[in-house]
Amino acid sequence: MNRWPYIKAAGAHLGADWCYQTAAQAAHKQTDRRLLAQHVAIMAGSHTVAALTSDGVPNSHRALYVAINAITHYAIDSVTMPKWLDQSLHLVIALASAKLLEARR
């Protein structure tokens, strides 16, 4: 089993949520849709890099992978919840959707 898609998916999420999210986005994304949209755009970009660096993957799978992670990230971050639950949901979705980044033989 190739673990790279799963490592890339987890890294895309963790990098975008912990390295590239601004303090303003983290503090106000539940009440400011502009900040939430900025954060989700960064998240989508991070997942796009993971998708585009996966060889042998159909473009439709790449697009679906990015869409799943961006849409669910927007939905989860629109609601106030404990950080552990927020992060768990994001990681479960990223790892489950990483199956789409496995090369087709």
Side-chain angles (χ1 to χ4, degrees):
M1 174 178 139
N2 183 2
R3 292 184 176 98
W4 278 113
Y6 303 93
I7 293 168
K8 288 180 185 184
H13 165 70
L14 294 171
D17 238 14
W18 293 94
C19 297
Y20 302 119
Q21 180 173 217
T22 68
Q25 290 168 348
H28 304 291
K29 62 188 173 191
Q30 284 85 22
T31 57
D32 186 332
R33 295 298 174 210
R34 182 182 58 83
L35 290 174
L36 177 58
Q38 289 172 356
H39 173 58
V40 172
I42 291 166
M43 180 63 59
S46 183
H47 282 289
T48 297
V49 170
L52 291 176
T53 59
S54 298
D55 294 330
V57 177
N59 285 336
S60 60
H61 288 205
R62 289 181 173 124
L64 182 58
Y65 165 80
V66 173
I68 287 168
N69 282 282
I71 292 166
T72 59
H73 206 93
Y74 185 92
I76 292 166
D77 281 5
S78 293
V79 179
T80 302
M81 65 180 73
K83 191 69 172 174
W84 69 267
L85 181 56
D86 171 276
Q87 290 300 300
S88 297
L89 291 171
H90 289 318
L91 281 172
V92 165
I93 292 164
L95 292 172
S97 65
K99 182 95 175 138
L100 292 164
L101 300 182
E102 289 182 347
R104 301 296 176 232
R105 294 182 181 116

